Amino acid sequence: SVVMPLYNKAAHVCAAIESALSQVFPPHEIVVIDNRSTDDGRERVAAMADERVRLLDLPTPGPGGYAGRNMGTHAASGDWIAFLDADDLWQPDHLAVLAESIKADPSVRAAATRFDHVFEDRVQLQRIAPELEQACSLDLAGFLAAWLAVRECPMWTGAIAIRRDTLFEAGLFPEGRAVRGGDKDLWLRVLAKGRLRYDRRVTAVFHRDSDNKVSKSTTTLDVPCLVETARAMLAEATGREA
């Protein structure tokens, strides 16, 4: 299942959905959750003539897309959830690469690919640690080591799939606890449940300059909610994880 939160992304949302519908490994469904958009993005989604696209409305607005992603995860019927924001894109092989990763190691709880940061004036490839140059499965300590090695998280919301049952076990996105940065808080909790399979192939596009981005309208001065999560996890962490 593909879960996509939507808030005032009329200029981008149809292209995002089409990139999901055009996958060589087709999605089971695309669950779009509108967060009371004031443009015509919701209407554009409603007009799409594909029975795999489901449109839901978030009853209570929530920042950062976390409430929408959580609602979509509850509504989804697939065993695995792939997330795609309404202003980002997938390459045609994105879901196929994720499926291949899951098949290579069926025990993993999450799978991730590499992606491009696309700015208005340049494209920047995601930085990855040397150990990620070959497809591999990472436990929590390995995930943290790969993150710290290049100061860029191996997981990005638009280039991952996570087992639906694991999302519930981990506690879903930190709705009400964060305006931004809450995705990484969830990654810590997911990796505490099991391993991540990483594939270095670039299959997703992260548009950094699209309309109405939360990261452009919020501050980073507050202590991230993942600090509280990390402190709680330290109680049961191994030496390397700590």
Side-chain angles (χ1 to χ4, degrees), residues 35-210:
N35 191 358
R36 299 190 184 184
S37 294
T38 56
D39 61 9
D40 65 341
R42 187 193 185 283
E43 288 70 25
R44 294 189 186 196
V45 175
M48 300 189 79
D50 193 301
E51 63 183 12
R52 290 173 293 176
V53 180
R54 298 170 55 196
L55 179 59
L56 307 176
D57 293 297
L58 195 66
T60 304
Y66 305 136
R69 292 191 194 107
N70 287 347
M71 182 179 182
T73 300
H74 278 281
S77 57
D79 295 326
W80 285 80
I81 307 295
F83 298 99
L84 177 62
D85 282 354
D87 52 357
D88 294 318
L89 298 171
W90 286 342
Q91 303 294 353
D93 63 345
H94 177 66
L95 293 182
V97 172
L98 289 174
E100 182 182 325
S101 295
I102 294 164
K103 185 177 181 180
D105 187 350
S107 68
V108 297
R109 300 297 190 99
T113 66
R114 201 172 186 179
F115 61 92
D116 282 330
H117 299 272
V118 176
F119 297 87
E120 186 174 352
D121 60 347
R122 70 188 191 281
V123 175
Q124 178 180 310
L125 183 63
Q126 178 200 18
R127 296 189 301 272
I128 59 172
E131 57 264 38
L132 301 185
E133 291 292 344
Q134 301 294 326
C136 60
S137 298
L138 300 170
D139 60 11
L140 176 59
F143 169 74
L144 294 172
W147 185 348
L148 290 171
V150 294
R151 299 297 193 270
E152 186 162 347
C153 183
M155 293 173 69
W156 166 61
T157 314
I160 61 167
I162 300 175
R163 285 180 57 107
R164 184 172 179 269
D165 56 3
T166 298
L167 286 166
F168 288 114
E169 288 177 35
L172 299 175
F173 286 90
E175 179 181 343
R177 291 178 56 217
V179 174
R180 60 179 294 188
D183 49 357
K184 296 179 180 65
D185 177 81
L186 176 57
W187 308 162
L188 290 180
R189 292 181 274 118
V190 165
L191 266 292
K193 302 298 181 182
R195 295 181 298 170
L196 164 74
R197 184 73 179 180
Y198 188 86
D199 191 297
R200 68 179 298 276
R201 281 174 282 182
V202 178
T203 66
V205 174
F206 183 10
H207 281 124
R208 305 300 296 266
D209 293 318
S210 57

Side-chain angles (χ1 to χ4, degrees), residues 207-228:
H207 281 124
R208 305 300 296 266
D209 293 318
S210 57
D211 298 338
N212 302 306
K213 292 196 77 67
V214 170
S215 57
K216 287 188 171 184
S217 60
T218 54
T219 178
T220 57
L221 297 178
D222 295 330
V223 176
C225 65
L226 67 78
V227 172
E228 179 183 354

